[in-house]
Amino acid sequence: MTSKKNGYLWGALAGVSIATAAVAGASVGKPVADRVDQSMLIRASTAPIFAPPPGAPLSFADIFEKVSPAVVSINVTSKVDAAALRRQIPGLPFDIVPRAAPDGEDGEGAQQGQPRLPNQQSSGSGFFISPDGYIVTNNHVVENADEIKVVLKDERELDAVVVGRDEGTDLAVLKVKGSGFSFVNFENAAKPRVGDWVITVGNPFGLGGTATAGIISAYGRDIGETFVDYIQIDAPINRGNSGGPTFDIYGRVIGVNTAIFSPSGGSVGIGFAIPADVADAITKQLIAGGKITRGYIGASIQNFTSEMAEAQGMAGQKGAIVADLVPGGPSAKAGLVPGDVVVAVNGVKVRTSSELTREVAKARAGDVLHVEVLRDGSRKTVDIRSGVRPTEKELASNDNSGSPRAPGAEGGPAVQLPAVLGLKLAPLDDAARRRLNIEGPVRGVVVDSVDQSSDAAQRGLRKGDVITQAGGRPVTSASEFSAAVDVAKKGGRPSILVGVLRAGRTTFLPIKVSG
């Protein structure tokens, strides 16, 4: 998003050459060909030089005229967060706190004696999905809005209110008063192919009613968001296009523009749109109830990579590995354990952590999920009763982001520690627990030092980490870790999968055991 009119337009002037031929002093009776150099002749023709291939339109004008009345510009006014101001100007030694207005000069909407925060303006795009005023846009366009104005193609400006927002898919629904609005439909049945034409309409940099065209570049793009496999398009979209529609050549909405990949901040031909089927389902739920609920099993997961699979003797196996469990959560109650590799949910194969999260999210609270896992070389089914997924903010607030204090603050171990894979390990005793702020039933062995030339160092292990598993087995001492490494070596495995606890979170890393 960007402030409306907050930019420059650069114009380019192109010189136009006009070629003329004059016949002067020509001898009477000579053929024209003898008097004019044919190489200088400019031939003008109304016939096309080539016929466009099937499916390629000569123009997108008809599509634009058809759909553009349903597309709107969204102008948002919001308060500037003092913390956000400080983040935008790093290095300041003081917090930025707006001063309270003098007595009697509080200004509109401010309470006497309270700080008055400055306003900021931003803009995005959206589109009507019904004649009675429902508008789809991105959540990030309106999530902090104090005031929302919607500008139509005919330049009418209407007040809008938020009906519902979903952080998980970055979608939101607005409502304006009135009826008889032009609107467009989501296309859920006919799916364009990679390479098919698309057109976008939106409000880039505050320039409302802007159309761009391109093709579908790919489907199923994972850009780090949990609940969406994105459509990649090369139709230019920029800041302010967020929330606008992507149309097929029939004027049907096949996606909601959400993000771009850009080193410069401008379009480089890589844009991402939420697929129509996802947007349609979410917006209908938001209109019906204003809130989205998803299933939840209370487990932290990560991709089970090819290196991890080789380390476990399961080359080629895909899935999601369980890193941590929420104490008392659905997974912990059902018997799921860290190190389990989830390969299916309710019979649907799972290849990545994102796919697992999406399958779980489909459940309603109380539904039983049949989760297939690989544990100790065998396949098991764990039945987990789903809970309700907390909001993204609640999940983030539950993360322990503090850094543990490094061991050794109360003195290192008295004995010389042997090194295994470049790691020197110490017991997780009471003193170490106090140093590392580790409470509860956590068991493991503490990394006291790391050889910086080792693969363990390259993988990111550092002093103060706690190793809880190695090779699929719990470890509580350096000797147990060493024994697990020996088993991996004897089994001919290139690496060993190690569970590492840091700052209250467990991550699995494959560490080379040879060479």
Side-chain angles (χ1 to χ4, degrees):
M1 297 184 293
T2 184
S3 298
K4 189 175 182 183
K5 308 298 185 186
N6 185 20
Y8 294 95
L9 297 178
W10 295 88
L13 298 178
V16 179
S17 298
I18 301 177
T20 61
V23 180
S27 300
V28 177
K30 284 191 176 183
V32 174
D34 291 342
R35 293 182 281 110
V36 178
D37 184 352
Q38 293 295 301
S39 66
M40 300 296 292
L41 181 63
I42 298 176
R43 299 184 183 276
S45 174
T46 58
I49 297 174
F50 65 92
L58 286 172
S59 171
F60 294 96
D62 289 341
I63 303 172
F64 179 77
E65 288 181 7
K66 176 182 176 182
V67 302
S68 58
V71 183
V72 301
S73 299
I74 299 175
N75 299 324
V76 175
T77 302
S78 57
K79 292 289 189 301
V80 176
D81 189 324
L85 280 176
R86 193 174 190 278
R87 285 195 297 270
Q88 292 173 10
I89 313 175
L92 291 179
F94 309 107
D95 287 330
I96 299 175
V97 179
R99 294 183 178 181
D103 290 346
E105 300 180 9
D106 295 324
E108 184 179 353
Q111 296 182 0
Q112 188 171 0
Q114 295 295 318
R116 185 168 54 189
L117 294 169
N119 290 332
Q120 66 178 0
Q121 306 291 324
S122 57
S123 64
S125 306
F127 54 99
F128 284 104
I129 58 170
S130 71
D132 55 347
Y134 285 101
I135 296 171
V136 172
T137 186
N138 281 146
N139 173 64
H140 75 259
V141 171
V142 298
E143 62 180 333
N144 297 314
D146 292 321
E147 181 181 74
I148 303 171
K149 297 284 188 180
V150 169
V151 182
L152 281 60
K153 184 181 180 181
D154 60 11
E155 298 186 357
R156 281 184 291 166
E157 187 172 285
L158 305 175
D159 292 325
V161 296
V162 176
V163 174
R165 301 187 295 110
D166 179 40
E167 296 176 70
T169 56
D170 194 22
L171 288 167
V173 175
L174 310 180
K175 182 72 165 63
V176 297
K177 293 181 179 179
S179 61
F181 297 105
S182 298
F183 68 98
V184 288
N185 292 317
F186 289 110
E187 177 51 54
N188 295 326
K191 188 175 182 181
R193 301 163 300 168
V194 172
D196 279 344
W197 285 104
V198 292
I199 179 174
T200 73
V201 184
N203 183 34
F205 301 110
L207 302 171
T210 297
T212 59
I215 62 170
I216 292 179
S217 302
Y219 280 104
R221 291 303 195 203
D222 185 350
I223 62 173
E225 302 297 333
T226 305
F227 301 108
V228 180
D229 273 334
Y230 288 88
I231 305 170
Q232 181 183 331
I233 62 174
D234 75 345
I237 57 176
N238 290 281
R239 295 178 181 177
N241 275 111
S242 290
T246 294
F247 297 100
D248 63 14
I249 60 173
Y250 300 101
R252 303 173 300 196
V253 179
I254 58 105
V256 180
N257 301 321
T258 296
I260 62 173
F261 174 83
S262 174
S264 63
S267 174
V268 294
I270 302 178
F272 302 98
I274 302 167
D277 57 344
V278 174
D280 190 22
I282 294 298
T283 54
K284 284 177 178 176
Q285 290 182 63
L286 290 174
I287 292 172
K291 184 178 180 181
I292 304 296
T293 59
R294 296 183 170 92
Y296 177 69
I297 61 173
S300 296
I301 53 177
Q302 63 187 100
N303 287 335
F304 189 61
T305 65
S306 58
E307 287 183 299
M308 293 180 181
E310 289 183 358
Q312 293 290 80
M314 296 186 289
Q317 179 65 57
K318 296 184 180 297
I321 188 168
V322 177
D324 261 333
L325 301 176
V326 174
S331 290
K333 291 178 179 178
L336 206 67
V337 298
D340 282 348
V341 179
V342 179
V343 295
V345 177
N346 291 340
V348 178
K349 288 185 178 180
V350 167
R351 296 169 298 175
T352 66
S353 59
S354 294
E355 289 183 355
L356 173 57
T357 301
R358 290 169 195 156
E359 287 304 315
V360 170
K362 294 176 183 178
R364 296 173 296 181
D367 287 351
V368 175
L369 298 168
H370 306 294
V371 180
E372 294 181 38
V373 303
L374 299 177
R375 181 190 300 171
D376 298 334
S378 61
R379 186 179 293 255
K380 302 179 182 296
T381 298
V382 180
D383 292 334
I384 304 174
R385 189 172 297 278
S386 174
V388 176
R389 182 179 175 86
T391 66
E392 303 307 308
K393 288 183 179 180
E394 289 170 340
L395 289 171
S397 66
N398 289 335
D399 288 344
N400 182 358
S401 59
S403 297
R405 288 173 289 176
E410 299 177 15
V415 297
Q416 184 66 31
L417 299 173
V420 183
L421 301 183
L423 301 170
K424 290 188 176 181
L425 305 174
L428 182 59
D429 54 20
D430 290 341
R433 288 177 181 274
R434 289 193 296 272
R435 289 195 302 270
L436 300 172
N437 296 324
I438 294 177
E439 299 178 354
V442 175
R443 302 182 68 190
V445 59
V446 181
V447 176
D448 187 71
S449 67
V450 184
D451 181 348
Q452 294 304 303
S453 65
S454 67
D455 186 60
Q458 297 300 314
R459 299 289 180 179
L461 264 74
R462 64 193 188 200
K463 185 175 182 177
D465 286 342
V466 177
I467 295 176
T468 59
Q469 284 192 30
R473 303 286 183 179
V475 293
T476 58
S477 67
S479 60
E480 289 181 354
F481 180 76
S482 180
V485 171
D486 288 340
V487 170
K489 287 180 177 178
K490 291 176 181 178
R493 297 177 185 173
S495 56
I496 185 170
L497 192 61
V498 176
V500 180
L501 176 70
R502 179 187 298 165
R505 301 292 298 273
T506 299
T507 300
F508 282 89
L509 301 171
I511 300 176
K512 292 180 180 178
V513 297
S514 61

